[in-house]
Amino acid sequence: MSSLKGKIDFVAVVSVTDANPNGDPLNGNRPRENYDGFGEISDVCIKRKIRNRFQDLGQKVFVQSDERSDDGFKSLKERADGCEELAMEIKKGKGADREACAEIACKEWLDVRAFGQVFAFKGNDVSLGIRGPVSIHQAVSCSPVDIISTQITKSVNSEPGKDGKASDTMGMKHRIGFGLYLIKGSVNVQLAEKTGFSQEDADILKESLKTLFENDASSARPEGSMEVCDLYWWQHEAKTPAVSSAKVHRSVKVEALNERPKSYADYKITLEPTEGCVKAEEYHFV
């Protein structure tokens, strides 16, 4: 694998139509929004989807969803113990080489060398934290979103032996009519050198962002309801470019063409030239 060529910045434009992009468990699973009514998707949610795409692309992932486990392990501890080289080093207890443990974990799992990971399990004397080079911002919608709530019922018997139709069980399902979100992130070269995150890994990350919602359909997110519309990718030549990530991210301008946008076509998206910045790779899917 080749070393990362230079710092990376990226912005993905994501549309959501009649779906719940990220429910808030502390608010009845309603779509997340801030106090000004703008929709939000947490960085944890975005990283989960990226990890899923890593798996789909044939990469080994440490933090797996239970329903997507592809190695038979049922917990993170089991997965860590399943790596013989890492388990042997950890068994040394207080005499274990933490740097060696981190190097083994980063070599074994792509999400560890991308996002970092904390290894701290009950019964082990060794605990270590790995700081990853890939940082993801919380995504925020470009305009306020309208949350639509629907009452749902169940009219079937859940258990045998009951006569007639069961009592309706009431519940609520929430979605937003439409929202356009910006996902922003960066890849730090100095941290990439420590974890071994390579240029090839960066290419896998880029491909994962392009296809972020493949194999992600659910009742809350029907197939086709969430879509990556545009991806802007800056591969800088320097480890620390003269232009900050904040300025690079701001160069993607999104203008609503009416007060309440209802589709991607209701926005005008432009990329402003930034002095001293490399030209962005642009990918448009709509």
Side-chain angles (χ1 to χ4, degrees), residues 81-219:
D81 291 341
C83 177
E84 293 185 8
E85 191 177 0
L86 179 61
M88 288 178 62
E89 188 64 36
I90 290 177
K91 283 181 180 178
K92 296 178 181 178
K94 294 181 180 180
D97 186 334
R98 283 177 168 77
E99 288 189 8
C101 290
E103 184 178 347
I104 294 167
C106 289
K107 183 179 178 181
E108 183 76 7
W109 297 289
L110 174 54
D111 62 327
V112 175
R113 61 180 180 268
F115 304 126
Q117 183 64 37
V118 174
F119 290 84
F121 302 118
K122 187 176 181 180
N124 289 341
D125 293 328
V126 181
S127 62
L128 68 145
I130 300 171
R131 187 179 174 190
V134 181
S135 59
I136 306 285
H137 295 216
Q138 180 160 286
V140 180
S141 66
C142 301
S143 303
V145 296
D146 294 321
I147 297 179
I148 304 166
S149 298
T150 306
Q151 192 172 56
I152 56 176
T153 62
K154 180 191 72 166
S155 297
V156 295
N157 286 325
S158 300
E159 301 176 8
K162 292 185 177 181
D163 296 328
K165 186 177 70 173
S167 299
D168 288 347
T169 301
M170 315 299 282
M172 297 296 293
K173 190 173 183 179
H174 311 283
R175 69 185 192 277
I176 64 170
F178 177 78
L180 194 73
Y181 293 74
L182 294 185
I183 297 175
K184 302 175 183 179
S186 301
V187 185
N188 180 286
V189 179
Q190 286 85 353
L191 292 174
E193 290 174 344
K194 290 183 178 181
T195 67
F197 187 85
S198 66
Q199 188 62 44
E200 289 79 8
D201 292 334
D203 292 337
I204 294 171
L205 173 63
K206 186 200 299 182
E207 184 61 29
S208 299
L209 289 167
K210 290 179 183 177
T211 58
L212 192 59
F213 303 110
E214 286 189 15
N215 301 324
D216 188 57
S218 69
S219 173

Side-chain angles (χ1 to χ4, degrees), residues 43-90:
D43 62 309
V44 174
C45 175
I46 296 167
K47 288 177 182 177
R48 174 72 273 154
K49 297 180 190 303
I50 293 174
R51 283 184 167 100
N52 291 346
R53 293 302 297 138
F54 283 169
Q55 285 182 267
D56 292 340
L57 293 171
Q59 301 299 312
K60 296 184 73 173
V61 169
F62 182 67
V63 182
Q64 300 181 17
S65 298
D66 290 341
E67 68 272 12
R68 291 180 60 98
S69 176
D70 57 14
D71 53 16
F73 297 118
K74 297 180 180 179
S75 68
L76 296 181
K77 187 176 189 307
E78 284 186 11
R79 189 164 294 116
D81 291 341
C83 177
E84 293 185 8
E85 191 177 0
L86 179 61
M88 288 178 62
E89 188 64 36
I90 290 177

Side-chain angles (χ1 to χ4, degrees), residues 9-11 13 230-234 252 269 271 281-282 284:
D9 291 303
F10 58 85
V11 175
V13 182
D230 308 282
L231 175 63
Y232 300 90
W233 182 273
W234 293 265
V252 177
I269 302 175
L271 179 62
E281 298 175 32
E282 299 182 39
H284 306 288

